[in-house]
Amino acid sequence: MESMLNKLKSTVTKVTADVTSAVMGNPVTREFEVGRHIASGGPGMCWRIYNGTKKSTKQEVAVFVFDKKMIDKYQKFEKDQIIDSLKRGVQQLTRLRHPRLLTVQHPLEESRDCLAFCTEPVFASLSNVLGQWDNLPSPVPNDIKEYKLYDVETKYGLLQISEGLSFLHSGVKMVHGNLCPENIILNKSGAWKIMGFDFSISSTNPSDAEPKYTCKEWEPNLPPLCLPNPEYLAPEYILSVSCDSASDMYSLGVVMHAIFNEGKPVFQVNKHDIFKSFSRQLDQLSSMSPALLNKIPDDVREHVKMLLSVTPNVRPDADQMTKIPFFDDVGAVTLQYFDSLFQRDNLQKSQFYKGLPKVLPKLPKRVVVYRILPALTSEFVNPDMVPFVLPNVLLIAEECTKEEYVRLILPDLTPVFKQQEPIQASNMILLIFLQKMDLLLTKTPPEDIKNSVLPMVYRALEAPSVQIQELCLNIIPTFANLIDYPSMKNSLIPRIKSACLQTSSLAVRVNSLVCLGKILEYLDKWYVIDEILPFLQQIPSREPAVLMGILGIYKCTFSHKKLGIPKEHLATKSLPHLVSLSIDNNLNLNQFNSFMVVIRDMLSRMENEHKTKLEQLHVMQEQQRSINITNPGNQSEETKSPPSSGNQIDDIFGSTGVNGKENGSAAAAAAAATTSQPNRMSLTLEEKQRLAKEQEQAAKLRSQQPLAPQTIKPATTTNSQTKDLTSSLLNNMTSLNSLSLANTARPAPVQGTTISAFPSSSPMVGPMGAPVSNGFNPPMGFHTGAMGMGIRPTGPGLYGGMATTTSTPNFGALTQNQAPIGQTNKAPDLSALDNLFTPNKPKVTLNQMGPTAAPGPNTPWLNQFGSAQNAQTQMQGATVGMGGVPSGFGMQANPFFSPQNFSQPAAAPSMNQSGIKHSASVNNDLKDLFG
């Protein structure tokens, strides 16, 4: 490991030393940082090319350095000639400005050890790319060693060189004089640029006249760096000491041949006997063999043959070469258009960018990333063009690796994420980004997602465009896991809720609900219960899609393992809301069924949880009771007080509640036995004997048949007789002072009186007003709620779980004063009042008792007032009439458990005790509601 580190250190030290020795002391280093040696080029590959940056602006540049040590072997006058030639070439290049010529960023600077100047960023020279690696660092960089030219690069590169020559020949009347791969530079974007004007020749005629060029005679004794590359020179340059623009075109032909022939020129020249070599070359060119050009593509072979013609006039000029069909390639034309974009207006640019996505897949990735992408991102400074450029940039990003995306694309996209002006362009940008959100989330680092992407999403939720809001809501769940909880809670959810409530678009409202449903799993349980579920009740619309979205959020919250809804919330908020929504007229059958499935699931879970809780509580109470009974001495004086009202209910109705049947009789007997005892837990022998006797009496009562009700006879007396009878009764019976007729005003219910949920201590009145004994404690009272509905439970039926209903007149219209606890009042004889309740009396009609039905053989209790179905219907009305406490008729009286109870017999409409008219339409509504 140490040896590897030492080797690396020595390599870095050597490179640094080379750079330092080459550039140290040169004025270029004052303004530019010189970096790594990357390439070589220029005449004889004498220029070393380094990457660098400008210190003040951090702008990337290429630093060309000529180390004077390379010419130490020459005499001083030869060194001076070489230096002068190189200086002339750089100075000429600095004066010329054209997109096809290498751009000089800093002019030539000379120091004792080197020459140096700075240009635009450079990749390599064409010679390096074609395999000539002279004056390159060792080892040769892989990016140069493995570089292969694509067809589109070759075509467009040659087109660029042709355009550069056209500028020189027609624009500045100049012949380059040394066009070869050494003097063609590929910049960092892949564009081909011309340099090496060391041997350029300018026209001696005025600009408006025919150009005339003076050529120097070849001097073999000069150093090679003072002479052009003979392998790329036109024959007339050597043989007739003449040249013009056609000479450069010959050089272009040789360059094209070298590109398609692995970097080899047409002929090898013997530099020691150059005149003889050129004479032989001239003969070969006159009778050119087809094999000489067999590697050149067919569609340009004839043009290359013409460029290599011995006769200069046959060679096409540079302007003609730019128009040959070989360059009519889609990729080449596209790249050419990019280079001329600065000449186009916004309309032309927008049309070009719209069609670009069809072309990009046809181009090589390297061309797209390093040639087209920089041109596209440079348009981000023009806000109006961003919506047209951005789709192409994101299309390129899809083909890039994550590292390339972060390095080449993300820095330019970051300002675009925040662009808000102009409004129309900003909306388009949001729409484009949202459509490519999967790409952004996949390749953008998490920190940049938080700082750049999420603020853009928040802005999209508040955009005025419905399309943008809808698309944003659709994509939010795809990256919800990348959002930190505070941002989601404080920024994202409030905006989604606001979009749902404030929008006028059904699509946005529905998508808001769907979005919330999908991101519930990333939220906290209590946040959902406190913020999301109450929000659902604020939604004003009742379209089926909205209702199903609300149902979906309830269902997800209810069924999710992490979330869940407490039973208290189910009972008080969730279920009431869902039930009210379920009967909306906009829902169809399937949607209603979906509501009912969720409602049933919620009811079932609520029932199970609460039942489990009550069972556990009951077990604890029973355990405590058994402990107290087993060890009565452990009770303190404070704990020997009478049982609470809740325990009294348990004693009367048994451990299973009002409807319980398991322990109803035994519990009732025990309760009755202990009611009259001052201390129920400590029983003496006499008390136990009395309790056993009372249990025997209770058993006898259970075996007896219920008493038959007194038949009501129609009154035949007149109204005056009735009044006389009533007057005499009122005068003779003082107890009637506490009674009132049904048609008089009822006193307000007071807890502990007529509608008390607990057993009354006053005696139970029999069918004709006589007290009735229940077999245990004679003055035992009954639940007065049963008296108010035209029914009367008997003692055995109530305690034995076999309650039967009576058809006696409705005495619930009478209010009975309660006697003080422990005091018994003998009920007055009311048999004389039976004659008041006749069909002829207008104030109390028989319709209150239900329609008359034919008497059955074994139903003496029902002969007078109709079928058991009607009696049951009347009982249903009594179920919820006791201040919210069930009256003890069981689940059969609950319409949600027995929908068939709402069916009515075909009879004339009548008024029940609650005053609700049961008409045919009501029956139909009930059938629609409960099936």
Side-chain angles (χ1 to χ4, degrees), residues 649-803:
I649 294 176
D650 290 341
D651 294 337
I652 295 174
F653 296 101
S655 61
T656 57
V658 175
N659 297 320
K661 296 182 179 181
E662 282 186 30
N663 302 321
S665 178
T674 56
T675 302
S676 60
Q677 301 300 327
N679 189 345
R680 54 181 291 194
M681 296 304 172
S682 56
L683 301 178
T684 63
L685 179 60
E686 295 178 357
E687 291 171 341
K688 291 181 180 180
Q689 291 175 351
R690 186 175 62 185
L691 178 60
K693 184 181 296 184
E694 289 174 348
Q695 290 176 350
E696 292 177 2
Q697 294 176 358
K700 293 179 181 180
L701 285 175
R702 285 197 297 271
S703 64
Q704 293 176 358
Q705 294 294 330
L707 297 176
Q710 181 177 348
T711 304
I712 298 177
K713 299 180 180 180
T716 58
T717 58
T718 63
N719 293 337
S720 60
Q721 292 174 335
T722 303
K723 292 179 180 178
D724 295 338
L725 176 60
T726 304
S727 300
S728 63
L729 285 172
L730 292 177
N731 293 330
N732 297 327
M733 300 175 64
T734 57
S735 61
L736 283 179
N737 292 330
S738 61
L739 301 177
S740 61
L741 295 178
N743 57 358
T744 62
R746 294 188 181 185
V750 179
Q751 187 174 1
T753 60
T754 57
I755 62 168
S756 173
F758 303 106
S760 173
S761 60
S762 59
M764 184 185 74
V765 181
M768 296 306 296
V772 176
S773 172
N774 61 6
F776 297 95
N777 295 325
M780 185 65 183
F782 285 94
H783 195 299
T784 58
M787 304 294 293
M789 306 308 299
I791 57 175
R792 179 179 302 156
T794 65
L798 176 64
Y799 288 98
M802 299 165 58

Side-chain angles (χ1 to χ4, degrees), residues 819-896:
I821 297 177
Q823 179 180 353
T824 61
N825 293 330
K826 184 176 181 181
D829 185 7
L830 301 181
S831 60
L833 290 178
D834 290 341
N835 294 330
L836 290 176
F837 300 95
T838 65
N840 297 328
K841 302 304 178 207
K843 294 185 179 180
V844 182
T845 67
L846 204 58
N847 289 336
Q848 291 178 321
M849 311 305 169
T852 303
N858 297 319
T859 55
W861 291 85
L862 306 178
N863 290 338
Q864 300 178 35
F865 303 109
S867 64
Q869 177 68 28
N870 295 332
Q872 188 178 14
T873 304
Q874 293 178 357
M875 291 196 301
Q876 291 165 4
T879 305
V880 294
M882 308 303 167
V885 180
S887 58
F889 298 108
M891 293 171 60
Q892 297 301 323
N894 191 330
F896 292 95

Side-chain angles (χ1 to χ4, degrees), residues 522-806:
Y522 305 110
L523 302 177
D524 179 70
K525 172 180 179 178
W526 298 111
Y527 180 80
V528 174
I529 293 174
D530 294 339
E531 298 294 334
I532 303 300
L533 298 187
F535 151 75
L536 299 179
Q537 302 186 20
Q538 303 173 15
I539 300 175
S541 60
R542 287 294 179 265
E543 291 82 0
V546 175
L547 296 180
M548 296 308 293
I550 295 174
L551 176 65
I553 293 180
Y554 272 115
K555 183 176 180 180
C556 291
T557 307
F558 173 72
S559 59
H560 198 280
K561 295 180 180 179
K562 173 186 172 183
L563 302 176
I565 306 178
K567 61 182 177 64
E568 292 80 6
H569 195 283
L570 285 175
T572 58
K573 297 180 180 179
S574 299
L575 279 172
H577 187 216
L578 282 177
V579 170
S580 65
L581 296 182
S582 67
I583 60 173
D584 192 279
N585 294 331
N586 294 323
L587 296 177
N588 59 30
L589 179 60
N590 291 334
Q591 293 165 344
F592 172 75
N593 289 337
S594 299
F595 266 88
M596 296 312 297
V597 168
V598 177
I599 291 172
R600 290 191 190 97
D601 290 343
M602 288 183 173
L603 283 170
S604 177
R605 181 179 297 180
M606 183 183 68
E607 177 186 4
N608 293 337
E609 290 182 3
H610 197 64
K611 185 177 180 180
T612 302
K613 174 184 175 181
L614 293 178
E615 287 175 348
Q616 293 173 351
L617 182 61
H618 175 72
V619 170
M620 294 173 61
Q621 292 175 346
E622 290 298 322
Q623 291 176 351
Q624 183 64 35
R625 289 179 184 177
S626 61
I627 292 174
N628 293 339
I629 293 174
T630 306
N631 303 312
N634 293 341
Q635 281 188 304
S636 63
E637 292 299 326
E638 291 80 0
T639 62
K640 294 181 181 179
S641 59
S644 63
S645 59
N647 292 333
Q648 291 177 9
I649 294 176
D650 290 341
D651 294 337
I652 295 174
F653 296 101
S655 61
T656 57
V658 175
N659 297 320
K661 296 182 179 181
E662 282 186 30
N663 302 321
S665 178
T674 56
T675 302
S676 60
Q677 301 300 327
N679 189 345
R680 54 181 291 194
M681 296 304 172
S682 56
L683 301 178
T684 63
L685 179 60
E686 295 178 357
E687 291 171 341
K688 291 181 180 180
Q689 291 175 351
R690 186 175 62 185
L691 178 60
K693 184 181 296 184
E694 289 174 348
Q695 290 176 350
E696 292 177 2
Q697 294 176 358
K700 293 179 181 180
L701 285 175
R702 285 197 297 271
S703 64
Q704 293 176 358
Q705 294 294 330
L707 297 176
Q710 181 177 348
T711 304
I712 298 177
K713 299 180 180 180
T716 58
T717 58
T718 63
N719 293 337
S720 60
Q721 292 174 335
T722 303
K723 292 179 180 178
D724 295 338
L725 176 60
T726 304
S727 300
S728 63
L729 285 172
L730 292 177
N731 293 330
N732 297 327
M733 300 175 64
T734 57
S735 61
L736 283 179
N737 292 330
S738 61
L739 301 177
S740 61
L741 295 178
N743 57 358
T744 62
R746 294 188 181 185
V750 179
Q751 187 174 1
T753 60
T754 57
I755 62 168
S756 173
F758 303 106
S760 173
S761 60
S762 59
M764 184 185 74
V765 181
M768 296 306 296
V772 176
S773 172
N774 61 6
F776 297 95
N777 295 325
M780 185 65 183
F782 285 94
H783 195 299
T784 58
M787 304 294 293
M789 306 308 299
I791 57 175
R792 179 179 302 156
T794 65
L798 176 64
Y799 288 98
M802 299 165 58
T804 58
T805 59
T806 69

Side-chain angles (χ1 to χ4, degrees), residues 321-335:
M321 280 299 297
T322 60
K323 299 174 183 177
I324 64 175
F326 178 69
F327 297 131
D328 290 339
D329 180 79
V330 175
V333 172
T334 300
L335 295 175

